[in-house]
């Protein structure tokens, strides 16, 4: 079975541009979360979507937005890119709405590495 | 707020045992998870504790003390492939599936 897939794997943008990152969860998983991981740090929560509705938002500016489609895939959009947005963007899926109520287990994709010049 | 502390680096030799500690501060604590990440790839789930005590999964074990807000990951019979970053992460009641990750511990296994 396919794991969590993300695209693109690498991309380079310039300041002020817009980027769209895509994620396909594991088949049957209805929850998709997005995390930002800056080099040398742990992943930081951006959004969670469950059953196509936003269920959680981290401490990120409104330049960050996301959505989930009827097939449970998801997009993360970032507008007006800043140098500080350079990071690995990770998508994670789970079968449960509340990760902690299950096993604390998220299934992560390989990520999209964004470089902003 | 919520915060986690773990050592930034640990070095050990092949075949040895290493313990990576994690202390946390969070409201509504639910559980503590551990993830492994090789060279900036996909973090992979290792273990989870919601109750006090030790959970064993093969060469890896994880421990939790809720009263001390403390946990650790124990890696036995270290292998070169265990060289990676290890993250502890907490989940809390009512936060809709969000995990708060620590800064990570880089484990270097030497021959």
């Amino acid at each position: 079975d396919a794991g969590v897939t993300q695209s693109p794997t690498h991309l380079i943008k310039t300041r002020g541009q817009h980027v769209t990152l895509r994620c396909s969860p594991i088949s049957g998983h209805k929850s998709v979360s997005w995390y930002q991981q800056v080099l040398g740090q742990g992943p930081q929560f951006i959004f969670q979507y469950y059953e196509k509705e936003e269920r959680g938002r981290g401490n990120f500016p409104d330049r960050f937005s996301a959505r989930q489609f009827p097939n449970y895939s998801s997009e993360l959009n970032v507008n007006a890119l800043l140098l500080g947005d350079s990071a690995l963007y990770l998508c994670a899926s789970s079968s449960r709405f509340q990760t902690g109520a299950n096993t604390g287990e998220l299934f992560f994709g390989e990520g999209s590495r964004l470089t902003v010049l | 707020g919520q915060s986690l502390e773990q050592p930034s680096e640990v070095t050990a030799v092949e075949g040895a045992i290493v313990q990576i500690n994690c202390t946390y501060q969070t409201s509504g604590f639910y559980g503590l998870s551990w993830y492994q990440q090789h060279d900036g790839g996909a973090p992979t789930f290792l273990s989870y504790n919601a109750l006090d005590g030790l959970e064993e999964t093969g060469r890896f074990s994880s421990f939790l003390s809720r009263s001390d807000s403390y946990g650790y990951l124990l890696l036995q019979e270290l292998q070169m492939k265990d060289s990676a970053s290890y993250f502890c992460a907490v989940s809390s009641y009512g936060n809709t599936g969000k995990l708060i990750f620590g800064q990570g511990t880089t484990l270097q296994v030497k021959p």
Side-chain angles (χ1 to χ4, degrees):
Chain A
D1 287 342
V4 177
T5 58
Q6 293 187 242
S7 63
T9 55
H10 295 80
L11 68 166
I12 300 174
K13 294 285 188 178
T14 57
R15 282 178 295 177
Q17 285 190 312
H18 163 92
V19 68
T20 297
L21 308 177
R22 296 177 175 83
C23 171
S24 292
I26 291 172
S27 178
H29 285 191
K30 299 180 179 179
S31 175
V32 170
S33 302
W34 287 94
Y35 288 78
Q36 180 196 64
Q37 187 177 23
V38 174
L39 192 64
Q41 297 184 20
Q44 188 173 359
F45 174 78
I46 309 175
F47 287 110
Q48 186 203 14
Y49 276 77
Y50 182 81
E51 286 285 15
K52 292 153 281 184
E53 293 187 9
E54 181 183 305
R55 301 303 183 105
R57 172 186 282 258
N59 189 24
F60 281 81
D62 292 342
R63 299 185 296 107
F64 288 76
S65 64
R67 56 179 175 168
Q68 188 176 33
F69 299 99
N71 66 353
Y72 303 108
S73 66
S74 178
E75 280 184 357
L76 176 70
N77 294 282
V78 187
N79 293 323
L81 285 167
L82 303 174
L83 296 180
D85 295 331
S86 295
L88 180 67
Y89 288 86
L90 295 162
C91 174
S93 76
S94 68
S95 58
R96 298 291 184 94
F97 169 65
Q98 167 58 285
T99 301
N102 189 10
T103 63
E105 181 173 13
L106 292 178
F107 296 85
F108 283 89
E110 294 286 340
S112 295
R113 186 165 297 282
L114 170 65
T115 302
V116 182
L117 301 176
Chain B
Q2 297 171 312
S3 67
L4 296 93
E5 288 192 16
Q6 51 181 128
S8 58
E9 292 183 5
V10 173
T11 302
V13 297
E14 224 175 346
I17 299 172
V18 71
Q19 179 174 312
I20 300 174
N21 298 320
C22 174
T23 57
Y24 59 86
Q25 285 187 319
T26 186
S27 56
F29 174 83
Y30 197 101
L32 183 70
S33 305
W34 289 91
Y35 283 79
Q36 179 192 62
Q37 186 179 37
H38 282 100
D39 293 331
T44 56
F45 172 79
L46 293 175
S47 189
Y48 174 74
N49 297 74
L51 303 175
D52 287 354
L54 191 68
E55 293 285 339
E56 297 180 77
T57 309
R59 294 188 297 115
F60 294 176
S61 302
S62 59
F63 172 83
L64 176 66
S65 169
R66 296 175 68 105
S67 60
D68 294 323
S69 296
Y70 163 77
Y72 66 72
L73 179 70
L74 192 72
L75 296 84
Q76 302 181 70
E77 301 173 15
L78 281 174
Q79 302 175 8
M80 297 297 291
K81 68 178 181 179
D82 296 329
S83 294
S85 292
Y86 292 84
F87 296 91
C88 58
V90 295
S91 52
S92 304
Y93 283 97
N95 67 12
T96 68
K98 163 184 170 183
L99 288 181
I100 304 295
F101 284 83
Q103 298 277 47
T105 299
T106 300
L107 170 63
Q108 184 178 14
V109 180
K110 295 186 173 181

